[in-house]
Amino acid sequence: AAAVLLLPWQAEAAGGAFAVDDAEVGKPGECKVDSWVSAATNHDVTAVTSPACVVKLGIPVELGGQLQRSRSDGVWGSSGTLQAKVNLIPIENHPFGLGISGGSSWDLVTGANTGGFVNVPVTFQVREDVRINVNGGWLYDRPNKIHYATWGAGFEWNFVKPLTLIGEVYGIAGRLPAAAEDEAPPPNAIREPRTQIGLRFTPHDNVDIDLIWGRNIAGENAHWTTIGLNLRF
């Protein structure tokens, strides 16, 4: 369940490890690679790399993947995700931008499909230096056969070049996974809000370096520290 609840319904967000997505898609031919490492106070660890490129399929479509190596409760696992995103309403010359993304994930050890997601991001450009993103969507936990509603809201504030403050709150709504007779029930933290706030340093237009503090980001009531590097070309 922990691996499924780390599914990137959040996907590319403000870029990198942030969970709340924006509505934008780049121009055809543009590519990026977002990578990050997260460590929790309960000794859980997650390492991710996520490449993506924009191709013209009638309209620009961002096609990407995500490889994740993680340790949860002392057990290591590996997962992979294929995902796509399109922009339906560009934010330029409109009061808001609208997009849609979706994907499916697999356990790379067993080869089993672990679920999928659909996310609808809405972006509001409040000021030239402030943006608000609101998300709603669906997440399927296939091993436990549970459908979740997903939600999130975040902001990006480029208060001084080259620094951007990014904060977000997000989560899922649905029933808890069933527990076996000899196991403790899963913690309700799975359904409790998850938060992240971080500082993004952009020394070059094509490079971001992120330092992020998070709480409960995998539904386990731990504090997380994340370091990320995002490259665009």
Side-chain angles (χ1 to χ4, degrees):
V4 173
L5 295 174
L6 282 168
L7 270 171
W9 58 269
Q10 66 267 32
E12 294 307 316
F18 289 98
V20 178
D21 202 358
D22 61 34
E24 293 187 334
V25 169
K27 297 178 181 179
E30 293 182 346
C31 295
K32 60 183 178 180
V33 179
D34 297 340
S35 302
W36 63 92
V37 176
S38 302
T41 51
N42 65 353
H43 307 297
D44 287 357
V45 176
T46 299
V48 177
T49 186
S50 182
C53 288
V54 180
V55 298
K56 190 71 176 291
L57 298 176
I59 60 173
V61 179
E62 183 179 283
L63 299 177
Q66 181 166 300
L67 295 175
Q68 177 176 291
R69 179 72 172 161
S70 60
R71 182 180 67 197
S72 178
D73 292 333
V75 178
W76 285 95
S78 300
S79 65
T81 300
L82 296 177
Q83 54 200 27
K85 178 183 175 184
V86 297
N87 176 249
L88 302 176
I89 300 176
I91 196 169
E92 295 82 4
N93 304 317
H94 293 87
F96 63 88
L98 176 68
I100 186 169
S101 63
S104 187
S105 292
W106 287 264
D107 184 320
L108 297 182
V109 177
T110 66
N113 180 265
T114 54
F117 72 96
V118 174
N119 188 47
V120 178
V122 180
T123 296
F124 301 91
Q125 192 74 47
V126 180
R127 298 186 329 210
E128 183 178 353
D129 59 346
V130 177
R131 170 178 292 188
I132 294 176
N133 300 307
V134 179
N135 289 189
W138 162 85
L139 171 68
Y140 181 52
D141 175 353
R142 184 166 184 173
N144 292 294
K145 296 181 173 58
I146 301 176
H147 296 269
Y148 292 100
T150 61
W151 59 272
F155 71 88
E156 303 171 44
W157 178 27
N158 183 209
F159 62 95
V160 61
K161 292 184 181 297
L163 298 177
T164 302
L165 182 66
I166 303 174
E168 61 187 10
V169 58
Y170 60 101
I172 63 175
R175 66 180 177 86
L176 293 173
E181 291 184 1
D182 58 345
E183 295 180 354
N188 192 53
I190 291 173
R191 300 182 299 192
E192 292 175 355
R194 310 169 188 210
T195 57
Q196 291 196 110
I197 190 163
L199 195 62
R200 169 165 293 168
F201 174 52
T202 306
H204 187 276
D205 288 344
N206 296 330
V207 179
D208 299 325
I209 300 171
D210 294 334
L211 179 61
I212 308 167
W213 177 89
R215 169 68 180 170
N216 194 41
I217 66 172
E220 74 305 88
N221 262 334
H223 299 292
W224 290 75
T225 301
T226 298
I227 297 176
L229 174 65
N230 312 316
L231 304 175
R232 294 174 292 277
F233 50 94

